[in-house]
């Protein structure tokens, strides 16, 4: 029973993180820490 509860909580946390990342992507926010001036950062936008 405890395994099911912990698994459910863990799955909910993972889903919440993914939803947050998708919302930020849709709103144009970046996970890059350079604040948009990427000339001075360490290759955070490698493609």
């Amino acid at each position: 029973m405890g395994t099911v509860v912990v698994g459910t909580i863990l799955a909910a946390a993972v889903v919440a993180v993914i939803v947050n990342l998708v919302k930020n992507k849709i709103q144009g926010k970046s996970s890059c820490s350079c604040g948009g001036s990427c000339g001075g950062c360490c290759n955070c936008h490698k493609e």
Side-chain angles (χ1 to χ4, degrees):
M1 180 70 175
T3 304
V4 174
V5 171
V6 171
T8 303
I9 292 170
L10 183 59
V14 170
V15 168
V17 168
I18 292 171
V19 167
N20 190 18
L21 289 173
V22 170
K23 280 184 180 179
N24 285 345
K25 178 103 174 159
I26 290 172
Q27 293 175 353
K29 295 179 183 177
S30 175
S31 61
C32 178
S33 63
C34 63
S37 58
C38 297
C41 69
C42 299
N43 300 322
C44 63
H45 294 284
K46 289 183 180 180
E47 294 191 41

